[in-house]
Amino acid sequence: MKKIPLGLISLVLWAVSVSVLLYFFFSGNVSESIDGRVAIHLNPQEKNLVLTEMRGLLASVNGIVSALAEDDYKKAELAASASGMEMVKKLEDEEKTILLKLPIEFKQLGFGTHDQFDKIAEDLRQKKDTKIILKELDKLTQNCVRCHATYKIAF
């Protein structure tokens, strides 16, 4: 009987492990929902974290709009900054376990949305015209609409 070298076995196991990890990183833990959206399967704590983050994003949008209605650029900037990439950094430890369950497109939408909040905060810092800021806010809310039309959180 021919012996298989230990190095070859290790290499094959490593390749299989990396392949599985990459598969889940890109595709996530998903299925098709009865309403045609992609159902992302999370446990109750993970679902709560994602939905809490989304409520924070909506609160920031509301803060931007209400502050702009009062011509308070500083208050609007603070609302936008609250949901920028700093929010991601604050939630980083809690979200590490979730990241493998989320499909790549969902991650891209999420990170793009946080980046867009930072862009809006910068525009507000520079006191750009309200029409420019509203166009950027439109881009941001299009991400929200696309995400909610495409995905749902399930158990």
Side-chain angles (χ1 to χ4, degrees):
M1 184 163 157
K2 186 176 179 182
K3 289 191 173 189
I4 300 173
L6 186 59
L8 181 60
I9 293 171
S10 298
L11 183 63
V12 169
L13 288 174
W14 176 82
V16 168
S17 298
V18 168
S19 297
V20 169
L21 185 65
L22 286 173
Y23 171 79
F24 280 109
F25 180 80
F26 285 102
S27 65
N29 186 11
V30 299
S31 65
E32 188 173 338
S33 175
I34 60 170
D35 63 5
R37 294 185 293 165
V38 176
I40 301 171
H41 300 280
L42 302 175
N43 69 40
Q45 293 81 13
E46 294 165 338
K47 179 179 179 178
N48 184 53
L49 180 66
V50 171
L51 295 180
T52 299
E53 182 177 349
M54 286 180 183
R55 286 189 295 274
L57 301 177
L58 184 58
S60 288
V61 169
N62 181 254
I64 294 166
V65 171
S66 65
L68 284 177
E70 299 169 4
D71 285 328
D72 189 341
Y73 275 67
K74 184 63 181 168
K75 188 175 176 184
E77 177 195 337
L78 290 172
S81 295
S83 287
M85 289 307 287
E86 279 298 314
M87 178 189 234
V88 174
K89 290 176 186 167
K90 289 178 186 172
L91 295 172
E92 193 172 40
D93 288 336
E94 296 174 67
E95 289 186 338
K96 282 182 183 173
T97 60
I98 297 174
L99 284 178
L100 282 180
K101 295 182 177 182
L102 304 176
I104 191 72
E105 297 86 7
F106 185 90
K107 291 178 227 182
Q108 289 169 333
L109 268 174
F111 288 125
T113 300
H114 289 292
D115 281 336
Q116 188 65 19
F117 272 108
D118 285 337
K119 168 127 180 51
I120 292 168
E122 182 57 33
D123 289 349
L124 289 161
R125 243 184 311 284
Q126 296 175 10
K127 296 198 186 293
K128 288 191 176 177
D129 185 78
T130 305
K131 286 185 179 185
I132 293 170
I133 294 167
L134 286 174
K135 284 183 182 183
E136 295 299 327
L137 197 56
D138 176 55
K139 288 179 192 174
L140 184 141
T141 57
Q142 285 178 29
N143 282 355
C144 300
V145 171
R146 186 168 55 245
C147 183
H148 285 269
T150 306
Y151 300 100
K152 71 182 286 181
I153 305 298
F155 293 112

